[in-house]
Amino acid sequence: MTTSTQPGTSPVRQSRLTRGQRPKGLVPVIGVAAIVAGAALAALVGFSIALWALFATVIFLVVGPLAVGMIEGSRAGADSLMTFLVYAAFILAVIPLISVIWTVLANGIPGLTSNMLFTSMNGVTGFHDNQADAPSQVMGGAYHAIIGTVSITFWATLMSVPVGLLTAIYLVEYSRGGWLGKAITFFVDVMTGIPSIVAGLFAAALFGMIFGPSTRTGFVAAVALTVLMIPTVVKNTEEMLRIVPNELREASYALGVRKWRTILKVVIPTAISGIASGVTLAIARVIGETAPLLVTAGFATAINWNSFSGWMTTLPTFIYYQIMTPTSPTNPDPSLQRAWAAALILIVIVMLLNLVARLIARAFAPKTAGR
């Protein structure tokens, strides 16, 4: 320990262990400076968000390791380079997400009117759009599409989650590397990569052979989405079940608990958080599908509460038609407003599903000493 005294100041104690170390706020300061400098350089070239992010990232990656190397030495500078690369990768990954959310919020919030949320497009024509002078005057909304999305997703989840969960339980707890387990794993891997339109054509062909070639209902769309959801549920659930320690199973067996009850009371509650996240991921993967729904559920402008009869509209197909075929070709702004508002509603539904999944996982997770 050494003591240094400067004129007009009190003695300052410095430890040899803290000499030559970078200040704690160095990285945030460099980040802010890189953002400011990146904005200035982008303005000189022709400002855009992409150029701003690119210049700021390059400055951050160059200046950061150099500053650390000047303070702590070349070895610390080389080591910090990897740390700054991780920071930069995180920033580049978050920028598109923030950009998408910001764009949807900026364009979707003005369209979230009572007409958008509680009325359908039944009877709305180009005449009504031509008469609208403000966002609040736009007639017609996505109420029928919201109902269709919730209904079709509900049936798809109801069919896919039990099948996927039981399949994963068989693969982890019962297959023991047998030929059936290997075959199931192979087909699940194949199903994971099939295009969504193939699932829609499969469901349309299946129900077309049974009920006629023109059969299009919400339940047919739910079957198509089930084909897409099952592989995701199986893979995520399987991974979560495999990370459950075998000691928990063995302790349960040692107490004389049967295998099915051990799985139900020990294994699944331990992995419920990951399982719920996997189910939410599967729902989020299919809730935005458009192609399979166009060939299975059709498109309607009126409200349809019955998933087993009549055409149904979902939010993705509603967005697609509002953009591709505006209600008023001479005045597409009201249709674009509806499309952006529907996109915002879709994002909110996915966020609510994530919240519900977390609440379910928290409710069913095994209690610990700290809870």
Side-chain angles (χ1 to χ4, degrees):
M1 186 77 68
T2 60
T3 304
S4 61
T5 306
Q6 297 178 356
T9 62
S10 59
V12 179
R13 288 186 172 273
Q14 292 183 340
S15 172
R16 293 179 180 178
L17 297 177
T18 58
R19 287 179 182 174
Q21 291 185 358
R22 54 182 153 174
K24 292 183 178 179
L26 180 64
V27 175
V29 170
I30 294 175
V32 173
I35 292 173
V36 174
L41 289 176
L44 293 175
V45 178
F47 184 83
S48 69
I49 299 295
L51 280 177
W52 184 13
L54 178 62
F55 286 142
T57 303
V58 172
I59 294 172
F60 185 72
L61 288 176
V62 173
V63 176
L66 287 177
V68 174
M70 292 174 62
I71 297 173
E72 298 184 354
S74 59
R75 292 182 62 186
D79 179 72
S80 67
L81 176 61
M82 296 305 300
T83 303
F84 279 82
L85 282 174
V86 173
Y87 291 152
F90 170 75
I91 294 171
L92 290 178
V94 170
I95 286 175
L97 175 62
I98 296 176
S99 177
V100 169
I101 293 177
W102 173 260
T103 303
V104 174
L105 287 174
N107 293 279
I109 289 178
L112 287 180
T113 62
S114 58
N115 286 329
M116 181 66 189
L117 295 174
F118 301 109
T119 61
S120 68
M121 291 296 294
N122 192 27
V124 178
T125 62
F127 173 78
H128 299 91
D129 283 1
N130 291 332
Q131 296 298 315
D133 297 326
S136 59
Q137 298 178 0
V138 174
M139 302 297 294
Y143 184 55
H144 60 305
I146 297 173
I147 293 173
T149 297
V150 173
S151 177
I152 292 174
T153 306
F154 168 77
W155 286 111
T157 305
L158 192 64
M159 290 185 288
S160 61
V161 172
V163 174
L165 182 60
L166 293 174
T167 302
I169 291 175
Y170 172 79
L171 292 175
V172 177
E173 304 292 340
Y174 292 97
S175 68
R176 301 183 182 276
W179 66 269
L180 182 57
K182 293 180 180 178
I184 292 174
T185 301
F186 172 76
F187 285 114
V188 167
D189 292 338
V190 172
M191 290 175 62
T192 303
I194 64 171
S196 59
I197 187 64
V198 175
L201 292 174
F202 162 75
L206 176 64
F207 282 84
M209 290 188 300
I210 299 174
F211 300 103
S214 61
T215 303
R216 290 187 180 181
T217 64
F219 188 75
V220 180
V223 171
L225 296 185
T226 300
V227 175
L228 299 174
M229 286 183 66
I230 287 177
T232 306
V233 175
V234 172
K235 298 299 290 184
N236 284 278
T237 304
E238 182 182 0
E239 293 300 323
M240 291 302 104
L241 294 178
R242 289 192 186 280
I243 65 176
V244 175
N246 284 328
E247 289 78 3
L248 296 178
R249 298 180 177 88
E250 293 170 356
S252 179
Y253 297 151
L255 294 174
V257 181
R258 294 180 180 272
K259 188 168 187 173
W260 70 268
R261 194 168 182 83
T262 298
I263 296 172
L264 187 64
K265 295 294 185 179
V266 177
V267 178
I268 293 180
T270 304
I272 188 63
S273 178
I275 294 174
S277 299
V279 171
T280 306
L281 179 64
I283 296 174
R285 184 246 190 274
V286 302
I287 199 172
E289 291 290 348
T290 305
L293 300 181
L294 290 174
V295 299
T296 54
F299 181 80
T301 58
I303 299 172
N304 180 12
W305 291 90
N306 188 1
S307 300
F308 299 91
S309 176
W311 289 16
M312 253 188 172
T313 299
T314 60
L315 286 170
T317 55
F318 177 81
I319 296 170
Y320 173 79
Y321 276 103
Q322 287 296 312
I323 294 176
M324 299 303 297
T325 57
T327 307
S328 173
T330 59
N331 184 23
D333 290 341
S335 294
L336 291 176
Q337 175 184 312
R338 297 190 194 100
W340 281 112
L344 179 58
I345 294 171
L346 192 60
I347 291 177
V348 170
I349 291 176
V350 174
M351 293 178 62
L352 291 176
L353 287 173
N354 277 276
L355 178 61
V356 170
R358 291 180 179 274
L359 293 176
I360 292 174
R362 187 178 182 85
F364 288 96
K367 300 297 185 291
T368 61
R371 294 180 59 184

